[in-house]
Amino acid sequence: MDKKGIIIYKGKYGATQQYATWLAAALNIQAVTAGQETKQQLAAAGYVILGTSIYIGKLQLRKWINNHKDQLAGKKLFLYLVAGTPVSETQKLEGYLTANISDDIRLRCQCFFLPGKLEFGKLSLPDRWLLSIGARLARGRGEHIVTADYNHVRPENLTGIINAVNATNEVPA
């Protein structure tokens, strides 16, 4: 019998939620927005998939993870991070992890970096302003931050995490 899990996610503009929806369907488990889960749901879960977007270097789920360390103890943890930072920039992405999640949790998570999307016109005015300023500052450092619309959110990006969860759930014959 498979161990049942739960997906707890928090994002800002829909990509993290889309991934959670696809994962929930593929793994036949529930996806819940962070803060909407019950203690019973967490207690019953054999594993927890944590999904978060990264916004200005901060994981949207960081406070929730910190506040739920006790409930996460002893559970198999998977973490997917959705960012505009290219998946190939692993050092930068790993830096987000170490800056936002304490070692006791981070070292227990199997982590997956997933590409996100940007719909500039759908950003809030403060977010558009921050992205534009950030892009200008990055240019001054010789870096490039994309401000043009893109959408790299695809179901096939979840193959690695689905395989990892399924491998965890396999019961030896």
Side-chain angles (χ1 to χ4, degrees):
M1 177 163 51
D2 285 347
K3 294 180 220 165
K4 278 296 179 183
I6 189 169
I7 302 165
I8 307 290
Y9 69 92
K10 184 172 183 184
K12 198 153 177 162
Y13 289 105
T16 306
Q17 179 180 12
Q18 179 62 71
Y19 281 129
T21 301
W22 287 331
L23 274 172
L27 297 168
N28 195 28
I29 60 174
Q30 191 172 15
V32 181
T33 304
Q36 302 299 312
E37 77 289 339
T38 66
K39 286 183 181 184
Q40 294 80 9
Q41 286 173 311
L42 270 180
Y47 65 90
V48 179
I49 300 173
L50 302 165
T52 184
S53 62
I54 300 171
Y55 180 70
I56 310 178
K58 301 244 186 278
L59 275 61
Q60 294 291 298
L61 202 56
R62 75 187 179 287
K63 286 181 185 173
W64 187 95
I65 292 170
N66 243 1
N67 293 337
H68 292 82
K69 283 183 183 185
D70 292 344
Q71 293 99 328
L72 296 174
K75 299 197 181 292
K76 178 69 179 157
L77 301 177
F78 301 90
L79 173 65
Y80 70 90
L81 297 96
V82 182
T85 303
V87 176
S88 61
E89 292 184 29
T90 52
Q91 189 172 0
K92 188 174 194 177
L93 293 166
E94 292 282 348
Y96 295 142
L97 277 174
T98 54
N100 284 273
I101 299 179
S102 61
D103 288 351
D104 58 330
I105 295 288
R106 184 175 46 82
L107 297 174
R108 291 184 32 235
C109 289
Q110 204 167 341
C111 298
F112 300 85
F113 300 111
L114 304 177
K117 68 177 181 173
L118 173 65
E119 295 173 284
F120 194 82
K122 291 186 179 179
L123 297 179
S124 69
L125 189 56
D127 288 351
R128 275 186 276 177
W129 183 79
L130 286 169
L131 180 61
S132 297
I133 296 295
R136 279 191 219 120
L137 292 172
R139 267 196 303 274
R141 295 188 306 266
E143 297 174 18
H144 178 68
I145 293 178
V146 176
T147 57
D149 287 3
Y150 63 88
N151 186 349
H152 302 297
V153 179
R154 308 266 186 283
E156 55 268 23
N157 296 338
L158 296 170
T159 303
I161 191 168
I162 290 168
N163 290 342
V165 170
N166 285 335
T168 298
N169 281 333
E170 288 176 3
V171 178

